[in-house]
Amino acid sequence: MNQKSHLIFTLYTIYGILLKVVASKGKPRGISGQYPLVQNMTVTEGGTVTMTCRVEYNDNTSLQWSNPAQQTLFFGDKKALRDNRIELMHASLSELTISMSDVTLTDEGMYTCSLFTMPVRTAKAYLTVLGVPEKPEIDGLTKPALEGDQITLTCMTQGSKPAADLRWFRNEKEVKGAKEVNASGKTFTVRSSLQLHVDRNDDGVAYTCKVDHVALAQTPQQATEVLEVHYAPHVKIINSLVVPQEGQYLKLECMSKGNPSPDPVMWTKDGGELPDLDRMIVEGRELTFTSLNKTDNGTYRCEASNHLGTSSAEYVLYVYDVPTTLPPSTTLPLHPIPPDPTAQLGTHDPTVTGNRDPNAIGQHGTDHALIGGVVAVVVFVTLCLIIVLGRYLARHKGTYLTNEAKGADDAPDADTAIINAEGNHAHAEEKKEYFI
């Protein structure tokens, strides 16, 4: 609206007021205490706001809305400012309601509602415009990062009013960052930084920066970056049998974890190539023995590497004899053939030596326990026999005479001695012994 038009509108307003004053002469004055009632409003940038001015009592007096620059927006139902965003919602002696769409930050300020009584009474309403923060951006991410690197992630958002809040999340868990706020006119630029010491556990982890602000209600803005971390491989061997025996099927799997993936892996036996490729089949990370025999005994090594390093693991294989089932017998084998004491069964890292497979040790322990039990039974039976024999000999100790000896006194021949012995049997004090 140009100055000339505004001047004409002002004169028209004054003229209208004078007419109302003249018309009101000779009439009783309206109820004292007529004041317009308004309310402070808050709107999000780009939104629409409705502003209402009411009076409880009005004696035919007009209401008017003015903007923070004191420009008249509406005088009663007449529009004064040519702004297509501003529309009349309702106009009466007791209420003047207007709406404003596509609100900008420049629309913020004090709006005035005037009631043209004598004197003019006014009420002021403050319109707060919220600046919507822009979608955040994450900087500082190196792809790929190397294990052990120190990196700083920075999240930034602009245009917020009041200043927004930034929050960091590692996957779903919140982590604390360092916040920095800078004013830029009526809005704010907010930054938050996050220090990271990268390791292999960060590979594939999503770091999210969320913006919390009153203008965003329940839908916060956010940005997400997924870390890619390169690291040297780590290897271990998984075996399918606890106690391998002749004729059995055995699978060794080389579990290697690294980024980039260390493919393929390399299998060796006792420092050289695999000797029998007909029975030892290599498929990807797996080494399969279709039928074990004693010639398979040895140390098997799996090695994996990428551009960051090499890792290996060893498995000492000892193939046991197939156990045989014996018929029931009171005699137990006392001397089973023990396995080679130098053989080890199990998986171990090349940096660790002397580790035996606990299953192999457990089997040797079972053999020794069986032998010890048999020896204990034999010793116990022997001791029992000695004790019984000793008690028997002690009970039968003394002098023993034959019939001939008992009747030998005064007998001319053997027959007479026997007769004499039988005749004196009742009075004999010696013990009698019969031989059959």
Side-chain angles (χ1 to χ4, degrees), residues 209-422:
C209 174
K210 290 185 179 180
V211 181
D212 284 343
H213 193 266
V214 63
L216 298 175
Q218 302 300 320
T219 55
Q221 297 272 22
Q222 66 181 44
T224 300
E225 291 287 352
V226 178
L227 265 64
E228 180 184 359
V229 181
H230 282 188
Y231 54 93
H234 176 73
V235 173
K236 65 178 180 179
I237 297 176
I238 304 298
N239 54 302
S240 62
L241 293 176
V242 177
V243 181
Q245 299 175 354
E246 283 189 292
Q248 287 185 326
Y249 173 94
L250 173 64
K251 181 173 70 175
L252 302 180
E253 184 176 2
C254 182
M255 301 293 294
S256 60
K257 183 179 180 181
N259 192 13
S261 180
D263 289 324
V265 298
M266 183 174 66
W267 286 97
T268 58
K269 178 186 178 183
D270 297 329
E273 296 181 354
L274 299 177
D276 190 351
L277 296 180
D278 292 333
R279 289 185 310 104
M280 302 179 185
I281 302 173
V282 177
E283 293 181 348
R285 301 172 183 267
E286 297 178 355
L287 172 59
T288 302
F289 298 80
T290 57
S291 180
L292 290 172
N293 60 48
K294 291 289 186 177
T295 63
D296 296 327
N297 291 346
T299 300
Y300 292 83
R301 181 185 179 93
C302 168
E303 184 176 289
S305 61
N306 60 20
H307 70 280
L308 295 174
T310 300
S311 178
S312 62
E314 292 182 348
Y315 175 83
V316 180
L317 174 63
Y318 181 84
V319 180
Y320 290 83
D321 295 328
V322 178
T324 57
T325 303
L326 299 177
S329 174
T330 57
T331 304
L332 298 177
L334 299 181
H335 302 289
I337 301 175
D340 183 1
T342 62
Q344 299 180 8
L345 179 63
T347 304
H348 60 87
D349 191 89
T351 58
V352 181
T353 59
N355 291 334
R356 288 181 176 271
D357 183 36
N359 298 291
I361 295 176
Q363 188 179 25
H364 296 166
T366 302
D367 295 341
H368 296 162
L370 181 61
I371 294 172
V374 173
V375 172
V377 171
V378 173
V379 172
F380 178 79
V381 172
T382 303
L383 288 176
C384 291
L385 291 176
I386 293 175
I387 292 172
V388 171
L389 182 61
R391 293 187 65 182
Y392 179 85
L393 293 178
R395 292 181 61 182
H396 293 77
K397 183 179 180 181
T399 303
Y400 295 83
L401 298 177
T402 63
N403 288 334
E404 291 85 349
K406 294 178 181 178
D409 295 339
D410 302 327
D413 52 31
D415 294 334
T416 304
I418 293 173
I419 295 173
N420 292 340
E422 293 178 351

Side-chain angles (χ1 to χ4, degrees), residues 34-45:
Q34 294 182 8
Y35 287 94
L37 301 175
V38 295
Q39 185 177 3
N40 294 334
M41 302 298 293
T42 300
V43 62
T44 301
E45 184 180 13

Side-chain angles (χ1 to χ4, degrees), residues 68 85 100-109 111 127 129 186:
R85 300 178 303 139
M100 181 165 50
S101 59
D102 295 330
V103 178
T104 66
L105 294 176
T106 59
D107 293 322
E108 184 176 79
Y111 286 75
L127 176 62
V129 181
K186 289 187 176 183

